Amino acid sequence: MRKTGSRGTGLPSLWEKARKLIGPEKGVVHLATAALLNAVWDLWAKQEGKPLWKLLVDMDPRTLLSCIDFRYITDVLTEEEAYEILQKGQVGKKEREGQMLMHGYPAYTTSCAWLGYSDDTLKQLCTEALKDGWTRFKVKVGADLQDDIRRCRLIRNMIGPEKTLMMDANQRWDVPEAVEWMSKLAEFKPLWIEEPTSPDDILGHAAISEALVPLGIGIATGEQCHNRVIFKQLLQAKALQFLQIDSCRLGSVNENLSVLLMAKKFEIPVCPHAGGVGLCELVQHLIIFDFISISASLENRMCEYVNHLHEHFRYPVVIKKASYMPPKDAGYSTEMKEESVKKHQYPHGEVWKKLLAAQEN
C-alpha cells in the first residue's frame, strides 16, 4: 500500500496516523496483516508444491531468519541465538519428520465439556471421545464454582486418573479469585488452567503462576496475545508454563516463528490454540514444523482440536488416534469450499438471507 503523506513536509502521513490510532502491531491492523500474510504463505507453499509445514522444514536457517522481525525482542533472543537454535534443530530432523508422518502430532479435545452442556451430553461426548482414543481433555470452567466441582469430578471419574485434564476459564477471574477458585479445583489434577485472567495482565498471570505451580497446576495462555512482545514479557516474567500461539492473532507465520524460537530458548512447551473455525487447519502446520525443526520434543506438548466447521474447508485436518496427521496437499490448508463461501456471503448468501428474514419476522 502506498503511503499518502507528503515526504519532507514534517506532516505525518495518513497511513502513519491510522497505524498509530488502531495499532501498531495489534488490533484490526495486526489481524488484517495476519490475514494477508497467511494468504501469501499459502500461495508460496502452493508455488513450491508443498504443504506449509514442509516448506518451512526444508528452508535453511538463514532463509527462515530472513522472515522474522527481531525488533523489540533482541533483549531475549538475538538473530544469532535464533540461528544457533535452528542449527541444533538440524540434528535428527529427518527422523522427526518420519515420526510425524507415521504417528502425527498429539492433540487434545475441547469438544466434550463446554459450559452449558448438560451432564448427559457431557457423558455422551466423553464416552465417544474415549472410544475414539482421546487421552487429553479440556473442560471450560469459571461460571459457578460448585458447578465446576461437580462437572470436573464427573469428567475425571469418566476419564480416570491416568488421562490428562486441562481447564480453561476464558479470562473470567481477577487475580485473587483465580488463585482461590483453582485451589478448590486442584483435587482434579489439572495440567493447566488456561487464561485465568485478562490476557493483557502479564504480572497478574505471573502472580497466579507463582501461587498455583506448587499445587501442580501450570498456566497456559497466548491465544489473545497481540504480538511477540507480549509473549516475550510473559516468558520473562515466568508467567506461563504452556505457551499457546494462534495462527490468526499474531502477524502470520513470520511472527509465530519468532515466538516459537523464544519458547525454545525458555524451554516452555508450545500447545497451540485451535478452536475450530479453520484454526486447526492453520496451526497444525506450525506445530509440526516446531517439533521437526525447533523443539525436537513432545514432552507436555499437544495441539488443541475442536470438531467444528471443518466441512467448509477443501483440505480439512486429518485426525488419527487423537493426533494431527501432517497435511499432504500444497499450501496452508486455508482454502474454503466455493459452495460454503457463496452460502455465507453477505447479504445475498443463503445463510444470511435466512437470518435477515427471521429478523424481519
Side-chain angles (χ1 to χ4, degrees):
M1 181 183 294
R2 185 175 180 179
K3 296 180 180 180
T4 58
S6 299
R7 297 186 65 180
T9 64
L11 297 174
S13 69
L14 180 61
W15 170 258
E16 284 299 319
K17 283 185 177 180
R19 178 176 175 272
K20 291 176 181 177
L21 182 64
I22 55 178
E25 296 195 28
K26 56 189 165 189
V28 66
V29 168
H30 218 45
L31 293 172
T33 299
L36 289 170
L37 289 179
N38 280 344
V40 171
W41 280 98
D42 181 53
L43 290 171
W44 185 357
K46 286 177 178 176
Q47 181 68 28
E48 296 294 327
K50 300 177 181 180
L52 179 82
W53 68 266
K54 181 62 172 170
L55 176 72
L56 294 172
V57 165
D58 289 347
M59 281 187 190
D60 67 87
R62 288 299 181 193
T63 303
L64 279 169
L65 293 179
S66 71
C67 300
I68 299 173
D69 185 353
F70 283 89
R71 284 181 302 172
Y72 314 135
I73 62 171
T74 55
D75 51 330
V76 301
L77 182 73
T78 66
E79 186 170 344
E80 196 53 41
E81 286 175 319
Y83 178 74
E84 291 176 6
I85 290 171
L86 290 171
Q87 279 292 91
K88 289 179 181 178
Q90 298 295 305
V91 179
K93 192 165 78 169
K94 288 184 178 179
E95 290 77 8
R96 290 191 295 275
E97 182 174 341
Q99 182 180 345
M100 286 291 99
L101 290 170
M102 182 172 292
H103 302 292
Y105 196 92
Y108 72 88
T109 178
T110 304
S111 299
C112 297
W114 296 94
L115 286 174
Y117 278 2
S118 68
D119 286 0
D120 286 343
T121 298
L122 194 154
K123 290 176 183 177
Q124 177 189 342
L125 293 174
C126 277
T127 299
E128 291 172 358
L130 288 165
K131 286 180 179 178
D132 290 338
W134 291 94
T135 60
R136 305 171 184 90
F137 298 78
K138 189 166 78 178
V139 56
K140 300 287 186 174
V141 297
D144 179 270
L145 179 57
Q146 293 308 312
D147 188 53
D148 285 349
I149 291 172
R150 180 181 54 77
R151 292 167 65 251
C152 289
R153 179 172 289 117
L154 190 157
I155 295 170
R156 177 52 84 188
N157 287 341
M158 287 197 68
I159 68 175
E162 75 285 354
K163 293 184 173 59
T164 304
L165 181 66
M166 291 82 69
M167 299 179 184
D168 185 356
N170 287 114
Q171 314 157 28
R172 288 296 287 253
W173 304 314
D174 281 358
V175 172
E177 186 181 18
V179 174
E180 181 181 1
W181 201 297
M182 285 308 302
S183 296
K184 294 175 181 177
L185 297 180
E187 64 174 290
F188 304 110
K189 305 296 182 185
L191 178 64
W192 75 53
I193 176 61
E194 184 174 331
E195 287 197 314
T197 192
S198 165
D200 298 335
D201 190 354
I202 294 160
L203 297 183
H205 276 85
I208 297 168
S209 172
E210 185 178 6
L212 295 185
V213 165
L215 300 179
I217 304 172
I219 305 302
T221 194
E223 69 177 84
Q224 299 290 344
C225 283
H226 302 301
N227 52 49
R228 64 197 178 282
V229 178
I230 302 297
F231 277 112
K232 178 188 77 169
Q233 294 180 349
L234 286 165
L235 290 164
Q236 287 175 308
K238 299 180 181 179
L240 79 175
Q241 285 71 48
F242 301 92
L243 187 150
Q244 296 176 307
I245 59 170
D246 183 282
S247 294
C248 298
R249 180 70 61 177
L250 294 182
S252 187
V253 177
N254 308 70
E255 192 166 31
N256 270 300
L257 289 173
S258 69
V259 175
L260 293 175
L261 288 162
M262 285 192 289
K264 173 60 178 176
K265 180 177 177 180
F266 283 83
E267 293 297 338
I268 295 294
V270 177
C271 300
H273 169 247
V277 297
L279 295 174
C280 301
E281 278 71 18
L282 288 160
V283 83
Q284 61 179 333
H285 292 270
L286 300 182
I287 199 60
I288 290 169
F289 160 75
D290 178 62
F291 171 68
I292 295 172
S293 296
I294 297 179
S295 74
S297 173
L298 293 179
E299 183 178 359
N300 276 336
R301 297 167 191 268
M302 63 197 91
C303 186
E304 184 175 25
Y305 175 74
V306 177
N307 187 19
H308 186 54
L309 299 177
H310 301 288
E311 67 273 14
H312 296 295
F313 290 84
R314 287 192 63 190
Y315 310 108
V317 295
V318 175
I319 299 289
K320 290 183 179 179
K321 296 181 179 178
S323 295
Y324 279 89
M325 301 309 295
K328 297 179 180 179
D329 295 291
Y332 201 2
S333 305
T334 54
E335 191 172 347
M336 298 187 74
K337 294 178 180 177
E338 186 175 348
E339 180 184 359
S340 293
V341 173
K342 286 182 178 179
K343 283 184 177 181
H344 290 83
Q345 281 182 332
Y346 178 83
H348 302 299
E350 178 184 325
V351 172
W352 278 103
K353 282 183 178 179
K354 289 181 180 178
L355 288 171
L356 294 172
Q359 288 180 357
E360 290 176 1
N361 296 331

